Amino acid sequence: MKITILKNALIIAILSFSLSCNQKQPSQPIIHKDLLGFKSEYITEYLDDNYQRNKLEQKLNVLKVRYLEDIIYVSTYAEANGCGGHFGNMKIRNDTLILTYEFSSDTACTSIVIDKLTYLINNPGKKKRKIKFE
């Protein structure tokens, strides 16, 4: 009787362990190989006094682009969900660099914040590129 109970307990423990190991882990985003660096900085809540005073509505999604030797430096301001994480990334479509700021969390809320985003992009050919933000 004791052996049967121990066997059953051992079988349940093994099944529980093997099932927990098969659960999908959150996948890590694949960052584009030419994105050398990315930084986001919280600036303010959407529509608060600081937002109004600094006229951030006019700066949202406007790209400031600088070519520094073989690196492209891009900065912009973007709206983001105030709860949860984000990461910067990029894609290349034809001759256009498309910069993204992607939500990477299971937690979201109704709070909207303004973040300043900075991208450093490898540009070994020193080409002038079309750059968009999505």
Side-chain angles (χ1 to χ4, degrees):
M1 176 91 168
K2 283 185 177 181
I3 294 176
T4 305
I5 293 172
L6 286 173
K7 256 187 188 177
N8 290 341
L10 183 60
I11 290 171
I12 290 171
I14 290 171
L15 283 174
S16 296
F17 180 72
S18 66
L19 290 175
S20 68
C21 290
N22 289 333
Q23 291 179 350
K24 288 185 177 180
Q25 297 296 321
S27 61
Q28 293 294 327
I30 297 172
I31 304 298
H32 194 281
K33 66 179 178 62
D34 287 339
L35 184 61
L36 300 174
F38 171 79
K39 180 177 95 169
S40 67
E41 177 184 358
Y42 168 82
I43 300 299
T44 189
E45 292 284 325
Y46 181 68
L47 294 179
D48 78 352
D49 292 339
N50 196 21
Y51 178 86
Q52 309 280 342
R53 184 175 36 255
N54 291 314
K55 299 179 182 175
L56 290 174
E57 183 176 1
Q58 298 168 5
K59 297 177 182 179
L60 286 176
N61 303 324
V62 175
L63 302 178
K64 288 187 178 181
V65 180
R66 290 186 214 127
Y67 290 84
L68 309 166
E69 294 296 320
D70 60 349
I71 294 175
I72 303 171
Y73 170 95
V74 182
S75 66
T76 190
Y77 292 88
E79 295 176 350
N81 189 286
C83 306
H86 296 80
F87 67 95
N89 208 348
M90 64 175 266
K91 323 177 231 198
I92 299 176
R93 191 178 306 137
N94 298 324
D95 62 342
T96 303
L97 299 178
I98 300 164
L99 306 178
T100 62
Y101 190 45
E102 300 176 32
F103 191 66
S104 64
S105 180
D106 292 336
T107 306
C109 63
T110 58
S111 173
I112 297 174
V113 298
I114 307 301
D115 289 340
K116 181 179 180 185
L117 312 177
T118 305
Y119 299 81
L120 292 176
I121 303 159
N122 190 28
N123 187 27
K126 300 181 183 179
K127 291 194 254 179
K128 298 287 184 189
R129 309 287 299 252
K130 291 180 191 172
I131 302 174
K132 289 177 30 178
F133 179 76
E134 289 183 351

